[in-house]
Amino acid sequence: MESTQRWCVRVTGVVQGVGFRPFVYRLAHEYSLTGWVNNDSAGVFLEAQGRLPDLSAFTAALSAEAPPLARVSEVSVRERLAPSPEQADSFVIRESENSGTATTVVPADSYVCDDCLAEMRDPANRRYRYPFVNCTHCGPRYSLIRGLPYDRAATTMASFPMCGACAAEYRDPLDRRYHAQPTACADCGPRLTASVRDQDGRRQVAGEGDVALNAALDVVQRGGIVAVKSVGGFHLAADARNADAVALLRERKRRDSKPFAVMVSDLASVEKVASHTPAEDELMLSHARPIVLLRKRQGVLPDSVAPRNPSLGVMLPSAPLHHLLLEREGLDVLVMTSGNVSGYPIEFRNEDALARLFEVADLVLHHDRDIETRVDDSVVRTSDHPDLDRPLVSFLRRSRGYAPYALEVPADLEPVIGLGAELKVTVSLARGSSVYMSQHIGDVKNDETFESHRTAADHLARLYELAPSLAACDLHPDFRASRYARDTYGGDVEEVQHHHAHMSACMAENQLTGTTIGVVFDGSGYGLDGTIWGGEFLLGDYRAVERVAHLRRLPLLGGDQAVREPVRTGFALAADALGGKDAAVASFPALGVLDEQQRSVYSVMAARGINSPLASSMGRLFDGAAALLGICSHAEYEAQGPIELEGLLGRDLELERSDGYQVLRQPGTGAVELDWRPLIGALAADVAAGAPEAVMSRRFHTGIVDMVVAECEAVRQRRGISQVVLSGGVFLNEFLLVNCLVALRRAGFDAHCHRLVPTNDGGISLGQVMVASARQAERRRAARHLADSRV
């Protein structure tokens, strides 16, 4: 007979708040093992006693058969001990321990599972139509966690004592609600409330529970706007089939053109509004339930939902309340956009929503389960190309459902915090080979978003019990995040050049090391020479880079005003390329929106450099091209012109003949300058010839793709480097990203792009961590070398 053994086993990863301990309990009984399991600051720890074959099969199953929301990083047998008589009779679940540094991964918020939905729809079930139903396999997590280990007392559910029925489920290891911390029912849990304002502006309660829900649905069905408290904050909901309702929402939110996302109940409903692929289905049905950019079916919804855009952002319900909203007959497609006033972060506290959202909403549907951490929706896109071995997944925003999951990087890092730049800010916290990235925070130009940024940094550090030894921030001296870093961390701050951070983020998520070519295109970033960069070819590694090529600099007439009025940049491009203002206006009729005085003033500003900083910006080049074609002279939202210029292509990734659409290399003593003037000249010739806008857009895009490949080839010939990464916000352009990636690989380059974090500034904090850590390690090596040389 085989002898009995006792194994001490450590399980790390996302293993708390996901039903892992009851899973271990059931698995131990299946293999006739005895012992115990508990949560601690590092994850899950257990002792299992039994026969060797059973122990081996049991430990293998811990990762192979883990619960749906678990992400097991490692299962390791720490010790093999002599059998214990005290553990010979049963297997038990012990209370959590809070000792040592927290290294377990905080679980992300998840959708509502099928079992919970079935209960919510069953009239005989005690949770019938209860909008907060959840279990260990689903529901909110990160948005309500205050600390680790993950227990109810460390969440915003602490104020809801469980009733007898819920407590019995919570204590039963064989129940799927065993230690499901947010578990509740209508007798003991959170409750819906509908609030409206009377004619005097005073808040009035319009109902609770089902009455509140029906009041909200009545408003939406009448063409009104409702603010809905979701998992990570408020949404603004409207009937997406009602053009007047969509127009009302745009008017009140002061958002004339930026696309809205919509929510539908299931894949059959998705089919009615957009075409979709198996890869897109997989994303929509994932636990994260992100917004997925699909190919819009023309003529189904009002154009005002996503004007001048071939894509439609679609998401499936992520919370029980969403399912209840979509059950009303005639409301099968809802606009669900961030619940905020334009320019401010999404509201997540009841008191703030009730104070502000009546500017937009007719009714606020809220509840008394507090949100600890504001978490906006994630936005993703998939791209197909015959030369790609699988669909390319790109994040436009990484937030709910993904944050704060760790990214594994090719380095061993000490505690370093990356604070991001100024726009689309995230926070990253490093330890070992893991980097924990926060949810999308937003643009920290206003006080509220900046406060959210500081709160996110503190919350992430507190959850993982880490005191960062170094803070990394953007090189720009006036960014609020950079000032915060210097004020908070003093001398322990590493300033990282913006485009170096972009490049390093892409290298890190692709597990790359060594010398790399970084093609980094965005709107603007503070350069090492104090000028504005944005169309860069860098060469280097995490520690340092050199600028080997860049776009010819163009003047930003009026500084930031040129971003809001792309026609200024279009005028500057055409005047420079064609020999003056008269030739520019004659070649591009779209410049007719400028009167003679404006043209004269802009000409003088450009010639004399008056309030016209020079920028090597690819984003501004795209702005100007869109303005010259009359697509967008004044931008309501960031990158509106480039987005609508690409939209003309209808998500068709075929390249076009690019004769004349060339960017000339101008070698110099320093970095190579890439002259875009011939490209603007070719655009003018096509305008004169009456070429269709879509054709000109495709040729323009193709010219940029050709430039990228040609310049990378030139760098490879000089320096022998074939490893390339593509990063920066301009690479949100699907046509540009996919075609550059494919063309580079066809040319023999080892080319990579972002797959796990956004290519825009949402990935900057990850790159900052990598650069700061590499430089810190280099300084320590130099110090050791100096110390050794003195011995």
Side-chain angles (χ1 to χ4, degrees), residues 725-736:
V725 294
L726 307 173
S727 189
V730 171
F731 281 111
L732 289 176
N733 183 310
E734 183 180 29
F735 184 97
L736 195 63

Side-chain angles (χ1 to χ4, degrees), residues 213-533:
L213 176 64
N214 285 320
L217 288 169
D218 289 344
V219 169
V220 175
Q221 203 149 39
R222 291 196 301 266
I225 313 300
V226 170
V228 180
K229 189 176 182 181
S230 297
V231 173
F234 281 80
H235 284 106
L236 292 169
D239 182 358
R241 294 189 182 276
N242 185 330
D244 291 337
V246 177
L248 180 65
L249 179 56
R250 289 201 176 279
E251 177 187 348
R252 290 181 179 177
K253 202 176 180 187
R254 299 189 293 277
R255 180 169 158 176
D256 294 338
S257 301
K258 190 174 182 180
F260 286 136
V262 301
M263 179 181 285
V264 297
S265 58
D266 51 30
L267 289 182
S269 299
V270 172
E271 182 67 24
K272 298 175 184 177
V273 299
S275 60
H276 49 109
T277 66
E280 291 163 341
D281 293 349
E282 184 177 347
L283 280 169
M284 285 189 285
L285 292 170
S286 70
H287 297 136
R289 290 293 198 269
I291 297 170
V292 183
L293 298 187
L294 306 179
R295 289 157 183 82
K296 180 170 61 177
R297 292 198 188 281
Q298 297 297 328
V300 176
L301 298 178
D303 289 341
S304 56
V305 172
R308 299 176 298 282
N309 198 311
S311 297
L312 180 67
V314 181
M315 59 178 160
L316 298 180
S318 59
L321 178 56
H322 297 156
H323 286 273
L324 292 172
L325 289 171
L326 287 162
E327 286 182 355
R328 173 71 70 93
E329 186 175 352
L331 293 179
D332 61 329
V333 190
L334 296 176
V335 168
M336 290 289 270
T337 189
S338 298
N340 63 326
V341 177
S342 183
Y344 287 84
I346 182 174
E347 300 294 353
F348 72 111
R349 296 189 181 97
N350 288 340
E351 58 269 28
D352 294 333
L354 292 168
R356 298 171 186 150
L357 291 185
F358 281 116
E359 291 183 33
V360 184
D362 301 295
L363 180 147
V364 177
L365 186 63
H366 53 103
H367 56 76
D368 51 352
R369 184 180 69 196
D370 289 339
I371 297 171
E372 177 69 13
T373 301
R374 174 193 283 122
V375 189
D376 217 327
D377 297 314
S378 295
V379 184
V380 295
R381 180 189 66 212
T382 69
S383 305
D384 288 309
H385 191 280
D387 283 15
L388 296 175
D389 56 357
R390 64 182 185 276
L392 176 65
V393 176
S394 301
F395 277 87
L396 284 75
R397 184 197 298 158
R398 182 184 182 272
S399 200
R400 180 180 52 76
Y402 299 97
Y405 285 152
L407 299 157
E408 293 302 308
V409 299
D412 188 17
L413 312 176
E414 292 190 19
V416 177
I417 190 166
L419 296 169
E422 188 86 336
L423 306 179
K424 299 175 179 61
V425 168
T426 59
V427 172
S428 289
L429 189 64
R431 176 175 51 204
S433 62
S434 298
V435 177
Y436 306 99
M437 181 177 280
S438 77
Q439 73 280 14
H440 164 84
I441 297 165
D443 302 350
V444 296
K445 290 185 176 182
N446 62 64
D447 292 342
E448 293 203 17
T449 315
F450 181 54
E451 179 59 31
S452 181
H453 173 260
R454 293 192 297 179
T455 300
D458 293 343
H459 184 58
L460 206 60
R462 187 173 70 252
L463 279 180
Y464 291 109
E465 299 176 7
L466 284 174
S469 60
L470 184 67
C473 65
D474 197 271
L475 184 64
H476 197 297
D478 295 329
F479 279 0
R480 295 183 78 163
S482 300
R483 295 200 303 268
Y484 169 70
R486 292 190 291 269
D487 292 344
T488 306
Y489 295 93
D492 297 321
V493 174
E494 188 72 43
E495 296 178 339
V496 181
Q497 199 279 322
H498 191 85
H499 303 95
H500 188 191
H502 270 304
M503 169 182 169
S504 297
C506 193
M507 290 175 63
E509 70 159 271
N510 284 286
Q511 299 281 316
L512 303 179
T513 58
T515 305
T516 303
I517 302 170
V519 183
V520 187
F521 294 164
D522 64 4
S524 66
Y526 194 77
L528 292 171
D529 59 0
T531 66
I532 301 171
W533 292 8

